């Protein structure tokens, strides 16, 4: 019976990760779509393949690296999380107070490339 609880917890974790990743991809897709005046089938295909590919590939790479390096990272994992969150928060604050003046000068329909 204990093994069944582990399977249920594993499924719930995977489901929640999938929901979070899909919300992230949806938000980015909506923003990208609103910024384009015209969208061709080719552009939609490229965008969806990149978003879907990276949303699937990054958790897989993270799992593979995490499972291989768990013994090394476990003692300092909280410091790694702190450093990453502090960096992201600091970058957000920096961007909020130092707006780039050239940001609005770019064309909305800039060339779509990798």
């Amino acid at each position: 019976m204990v093994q069944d609880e582990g399977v249920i917890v594993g499924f719930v974790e995977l489901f929640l990760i999938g929901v979070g990743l899909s919300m992230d991809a949806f938000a980015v897709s909506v923003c990208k779509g609103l910024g384009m005046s015209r969208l061709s089938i080719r552009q939609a295909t490229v965008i969806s393949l990149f978003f879907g590919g990276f949303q699937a590939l990054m958790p897989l790479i993270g799992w593979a690296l995490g499972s291989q390096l768990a013994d090394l990272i476990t003692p300092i994992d909280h410091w790694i999380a702190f450093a990453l969150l502090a960096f992201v928060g600091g970058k957000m604050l920096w961007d909020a107070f130092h707006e780039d003046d050239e940001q609005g000068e770019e064309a909305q329909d800039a060339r779509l490339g990798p």
Side-chain angles (χ1 to χ4, degrees), residues 32-111:
K32 181 67 176 169
L34 289 173
M36 300 176 77
S37 60
R38 290 186 179 181
L39 183 66
S40 68
I41 296 295
R42 181 179 178 273
Q43 288 175 327
T45 303
V46 169
I47 291 170
S48 63
L49 287 175
F50 270 92
F51 286 175
F54 280 104
Q55 293 287 348
L57 190 61
M58 292 303 150
L60 182 63
I61 291 171
W63 170 80
L65 287 174
S67 64
Q68 295 296 319
L69 303 174
D71 293 336
L72 298 172
I73 293 176
T74 301
I76 58 168
D77 59 356
H78 54 285
W79 290 111
I80 294 171
F82 173 75
L84 289 172
L85 289 172
F87 174 76
V88 170
K91 177 78 169 99
M92 289 174 64
L93 288 172
W94 178 266
D95 289 344
F97 292 114
H98 296 91
E99 288 189 26
D100 190 13
D101 294 334
E102 298 176 10
Q103 189 175 13
E105 296 176 8
E106 294 181 18
Q108 278 189 337
D109 288 333
R111 184 176 177 273

